[in-house]
Amino acid sequence: MSPEPEDPTTVHDDAPVTTSKSADGSRELLGESVTINQPAAELFAFWRDPSNLVAIMDNIISIETIDDVRSRWTGKGPAGRDVSWESIITQEIDGREITWQSAPDAEVANSGRVEFIDAGERGTVVRATIAYEPPFGTVGKIIAKLFQREPKLQARRDLRRFKQLMETGEVATAARTRKQLEEEKA
């Protein structure tokens, strides 16, 4: 006699978030891409150092490198509550692709892949595919939308800032910098 199958709503799916099936449908999947007029190797090298990403990811407060494949991320969560998680690089194809998965105890379960695809004279297509479980479930998702912290919107903006930084050396902003404020006071 074979054992009774487990109730699928109680089974923990430990597959990467981008491929697993959540019984409650709580996982979100998003994909965004941008073409950047720079070689793939240069873009890959920038992205491969997690500490660089704070400069382009508006929702990320800090990224602490733990070792060559692990880093601790802290981001802005719904309702002003910061969230933190450990990210682990699970696959890397030099100059072409970085795949990651959050550690099992992550406040924001997430995984994804960033691909750097040669676009000839136009540069490189950077494609990000991200899956995540919104913090605080549906309530967190609604709050994120209200405050324009929705991950799909953030991913699009982050890639646009990445393009600006890599093509011009700076991220355009309407806000005045600290240096500009000091010059105005002088």
Side-chain angles (χ1 to χ4, degrees):
M1 177 188 241
S2 62
E4 296 247 343
E6 292 184 54
D7 178 356
T9 61
T10 61
V11 175
H12 173 70
D13 186 351
D14 62 354
V17 179
T18 53
T19 60
S20 66
K21 294 177 177 70
S22 176
D24 64 4
S26 64
R27 293 194 173 118
E28 300 287 325
L29 181 65
L30 62 96
E32 292 292 329
S33 63
V34 66
T35 302
I36 302 175
N37 192 14
Q38 292 293 330
E42 184 177 328
L43 301 176
F44 177 90
F46 179 91
W47 203 282
R48 182 57 181 87
D49 180 355
S51 65
N52 287 334
L53 300 178
V54 174
I56 61 165
M57 295 183 172
D58 189 46
N59 240 12
I60 301 300
I61 298 165
S62 66
I63 303 171
E64 172 194 346
T65 301
I66 299 170
D67 60 32
D68 195 42
V69 296
R70 296 180 312 132
S71 52
R72 166 125 334 256
W73 293 56
T74 302
K76 298 173 187 172
R81 183 182 172 273
D82 295 346
V83 292
S84 185
W85 65 93
E86 184 178 313
S87 180
I88 304 163
I89 294 174
T90 57
Q91 181 178 338
E92 179 177 335
I93 301 172
D94 192 37
R96 295 184 38 212
E97 178 181 307
I98 301 168
T99 304
W100 75 90
Q101 171 77 43
S102 60
D105 62 343
E107 286 186 83
V108 181
N110 66 86
S111 67
R113 175 176 52 237
V114 178
E115 299 169 278
F116 305 87
I117 305 158
D118 182 38
E121 291 181 17
R122 294 181 15 228
T124 305
V125 174
V126 178
R127 183 179 1 194
T129 305
I130 304 166
Y132 68 99
E133 288 186 28
F136 312 113
T138 304
V139 173
K141 198 169 152 182
I142 291 168
I143 293 170
K145 281 187 180 187
L146 286 173
F147 291 98
Q148 294 194 2
R149 296 255 181 242
E150 182 182 16
K152 185 162 182 69
L153 179 61
Q154 284 300 126
R156 188 177 313 125
R157 289 176 177 169
D158 292 346
L159 284 176
R160 189 171 50 234
R161 281 189 290 275
F162 183 44
K163 176 180 176 71
Q164 290 175 356
L165 182 62
M166 298 311 290
E167 289 182 349
T168 69
E170 63 184 4
V171 176
T173 177
R176 291 182 290 191
T177 66
R178 181 176 292 156
K179 183 178 177 187
Q180 289 170 321
L181 290 172
E182 289 171 0
E183 288 173 353
E184 287 176 12
K185 290 179 183 177

